[in-house]
Amino acid sequence: MSILIKNGRIITASADYVADLYIEGETITAIGENLNKEADEVIDASGKLVFPGGIDPHVHLEMPFMGTFSSDSYETGTLAALHGGTTMVIDFILQTQGKSLRNALESWQGRSNGNCYGDYSFHMAVTDFNDETKKEVKEMIEKEGITSFKTFMAYKGALMIDDGQMIGLMKEVKEQGGMVTVHATNGDMIDTLIAKHKAEGKLSPLYHYLSQPEITEAEASGRFADMANYSGVPAYIVHMTCEGALNAIRRAGSRNQKVYAETCIQYLILDASLYEKDFEGAKWVMSPPLREKKDQAALWAGINQGLVQVVATDHCPFEWEKKLMGKDDFSKIPNGHPAVENRMELLFSEGVNKGKISLNKYVEVTSTNAAKIFGMFPRKGCIGIGSDADIVIFDPNEKHTISAKTHHMNVDYSGYEGWELKGKCKTIILRGQVAVENGNVRIDKGYGQFIKRSKVPQNV
Ligand code: URP
Ligand code: ZN
Ligand code: ZN
């Protein structure tokens, strides 16, 4: 199978030019002006932008959480991602406390194997670090190609580890060539505030937000950066939301330590005023919560200053019926919101079109940086000869409106209902196959592959 893409405006993290692209099998084999090649399929991309396929390194598909499962399966979640220009996701395996990493891996493989439309990988969340877990770190990296280890500084009793376990894990991951990532909020502070609000009868979604003030994230981000500095491990903070946390990594930078930071699309464009909508605010109950306008400004600036490398989603959808589990108690509302299908188009419309980020920065934060940080570059995250032909052909002028009635995510509401966007993913190619064209799916379930990742550079 070969594809010739004619006259597209190719945008990478560092270049912007009009050319033809030639794809043979799963890879890009030629780039140039007026390529004279026979192809099974020719796509005219005149007037369109051509991006590397999006990589969303923070999604939760079919994840057991807060007494239920996130509502997108590997099938529906990776297909929705493709519709929105994201050709690869990295999902999270959660170790069950008292059980092994291998046990968790097998259970996640049971749900994902053979069911994905798009490519995928896993981060391994270590929720119980002990002598047995320690032995499994090397095996995960070398045998399974799972090179990033997620930690939680919150969700005590289910997912949270203490600082002693954190240091132990960091040392072992450093030794074996991996990276430690973190949900950086102070779980004890949050639990105390939740208990206080409940005791006072303050039970609406607004109190989810008020139980996780900025300081809980700023403190944990600084502590995590300090522990990573002490152990020397490459470090990455997921879903960063606020100025205080950003300042913590800015301080780390001033001692020459690199702490990678990811924010998510919602933290750039939504704010905490949504929690004032009574129970409707449950649509945006997530952890950390939405913040203030001043935090949005800090995050956009952080992207342009190179402090924030990735814009992900933390896609973790729950149907409205599941959100209602917390009707009378905000602490029972399953945390998370749907966005994997919307990330690329929202960031283009709200970021590029509004002059907040350049086209090159757009590609960096939606694709290239994630591929580099998580050990997949240059196979993924770039348009270059020899790279996987993961391509988005994008119409920068097409207008459309987000709605749960038309989205492909398996959830009955959208946190962005009625938002009018300019810029649409038209053709999405995954490893040399047209996966989606004008909304029509052209691949089968199971085409998506598990991508083994490389060790992470340790020169931090
Ligand atoms: O609210 C969220 N973020 N739900 C998913 C789990 C997590 O903390 O990332
Ligand atoms: Zn989290
Ligand atoms: Zn998450």
Side-chain angles (χ1 to χ4, degrees):
M1 173 77 188
S2 57
I3 302 176
L4 180 62
I5 304 173
K6 299 283 296 173
N7 292 318
R9 181 172 163 200
I10 298 173
I11 314 289
T12 69
S14 56
D16 180 346
Y17 57 98
V18 174
D20 298 346
L21 264 183
Y22 191 59
I23 298 165
E24 286 173 286
E26 298 199 348
T27 53
I28 298 168
T29 57
I31 305 173
E33 284 179 19
N34 303 314
L35 288 182
N36 188 12
K37 302 258 189 199
E38 290 289 312
D40 297 317
E41 186 162 351
V42 178
I43 300 173
D44 178 12
S46 312
K48 307 274 195 323
L49 303 176
V50 178
F51 301 132
I55 299 172
D56 185 343
H58 191 153
V59 306
H60 302 279
L61 301 176
E62 232 172 311
M63 180 177 80
F65 190 56
M66 295 187 73
T68 179
F69 278 79
S70 56
S71 61
D72 259 319
S73 64
Y74 288 88
E75 176 181 343
T76 61
T78 57
L79 184 56
L82 282 173
H83 278 282
T86 291
T87 49
M88 174 164 182
V89 298
I90 313 184
D91 184 62
F92 291 82
I93 297 173
L94 305 181
Q95 176 193 17
T96 302
Q97 292 179 341
K99 295 196 174 162
S100 66
L101 300 184
R102 169 78 38 203
N103 172 275
L105 173 63
E106 284 169 1
S107 122
W108 259 254
Q109 285 171 332
R111 292 192 287 277
S112 59
N113 275 2
N115 287 327
C116 291
Y117 279 88
D119 284 355
Y120 66 106
S121 174
F122 292 128
H123 306 281
M124 175 59 75
V126 178
T127 63
D128 188 0
F129 185 71
N130 53 45
D131 288 345
E132 294 309 307
T133 323
K134 184 176 173 184
K135 289 182 203 142
E136 295 188 274
V137 167
K138 182 174 186 185
E139 188 185 322
M140 289 298 144
I141 294 176
E142 293 189 353
K143 185 157 173 246
E144 306 297 343
I146 296 174
T147 55
S148 46
F149 295 81
K150 167 81 180 289
T151 58
F152 290 90
M153 296 169 85
Y155 303 123
K156 200 171 190 171
L159 303 174
M160 178 170 153
I161 57 171
D162 64 26
D163 292 351
Q165 292 183 76
M166 179 73 86
I167 292 284
L169 175 68
M170 283 178 162
K171 286 186 168 165
E172 185 58 19
V173 172
K174 161 87 185 155
E175 183 77 23
Q176 303 305 336
M179 162 174 291
V180 173
T181 78
V182 70
H183 171 125
T185 60
N186 184 317
D188 286 329
M189 285 171 82
I190 292 167
D191 288 346
T192 306
L193 282 167
I194 292 174
K196 172 181 176 294
H197 287 135
K198 285 170 65 163
E200 292 168 356
K202 295 169 175 165
L203 299 167
S204 73
L206 176 66
Y207 291 93
H208 169 79
Y209 164 63
L210 293 173
S211 298
Q212 301 200 31
E214 181 176 2
I215 188 67
T216 60
E217 189 178 334
E219 185 282 329
S221 301
R223 182 158 39 104
F224 174 76
D226 288 345
M227 290 188 283
N229 188 43
Y230 167 74
S231 61
V233 77
Y236 178 101
I237 300 180
V238 307
H239 55 37
M240 185 177 282
T241 70
C242 59
E243 191 180 14
L246 205 56
N247 285 338
I249 60 164
R250 198 172 264 124
R251 283 195 298 276
S254 71
R255 65 185 173 212
N256 288 328
Q257 182 196 6
K258 181 80 189 162
V259 178
Y260 296 111
E262 162 202 289
T263 190
C264 298
I265 185 66
Q266 59 270 26
Y267 300 120
L268 292 166
I269 61 176
L270 302 178
D271 68 71
S273 61
L274 290 166
Y275 298 122
E276 285 158 22
K277 288 173 169 259
D278 296 325
F279 193 71
E280 198 194 341
K283 288 179 181 170
W284 301 279
V285 163
M286 60 185 79
S287 294
L290 301 174
R291 301 285 185 201
E292 311 290 315
K293 295 258 188 242
K294 62 105 182 152
D295 297 298
Q296 293 180 352
L299 292 171
W300 285 113
I303 289 173
N304 284 316
Q305 291 159 2
L307 279 171
V308 175
Q309 290 79 22
V310 173
V311 178
T313 57
D314 194 8
H315 175 75
C316 191
F318 295 98
E319 278 159 332
W320 188 243
E321 184 196 17
K322 296 290 162 51
K323 289 280 184 181
L324 286 170
M325 286 166 28
K327 183 101 196 70
D328 302 316
D329 174 356
F330 68 86
S331 71
K332 296 195 168 57
I333 301 171
N335 286 200
H337 100 312
V340 74
E341 184 172 352
N342 307 125
R343 174 186 73 129
M344 301 280 284
E345 291 170 347
L346 276 171
L347 189 67
F348 185 88
S349 199
E350 295 293 310
V352 177
N353 283 345
K354 294 193 174 168
K356 292 196 159 82
I357 55 170
S358 69
L359 276 169
N360 300 115
K361 184 58 89 174
Y362 174 80
V363 170
E364 251 191 67
V365 299
T366 55
S367 178
T368 309
N369 284 347
K372 287 184 175 169
I373 292 168
F374 292 113
M376 299 181 285
F377 189 85
R379 176 177 177 190
K380 301 283 188 194
C382 77
I383 295 181
I385 292 172
S387 295
D388 278 5
D390 299 345
I391 308 277
V392 178
I393 303 177
F394 192 87
D395 183 343
N397 297 312
E398 185 167 327
K399 293 185 178 163
H400 58 111
T401 304
I402 295 181
S403 174
K405 292 195 187 79
T406 49
H407 73 200
H408 300 84
M409 297 176 286
N410 185 36
V411 57
D412 52 2
Y413 77 89
S414 168
Y416 308 92
E417 188 69 36
W419 278 51
E420 290 175 4
L421 307 188
K422 189 170 162 205
K424 190 155 182 47
C425 300
K426 299 299 293 177
T427 305
I428 295 91
I429 298 172
L430 173 58
R431 280 181 290 100
Q433 294 286 324
V434 176
V436 177
E437 186 187 29
N438 284 323
N440 299 312
V441 181
R442 286 182 42 185
I443 53 170
D444 295 323
K445 182 173 97 168
Y447 181 73
Q449 273 183 10
F450 179 76
I451 304 294
K452 284 192 175 181
R453 296 184 282 116
S454 307
K455 287 188 179 181
V456 175
Q458 298 291 305
N459 52 343
V460 283

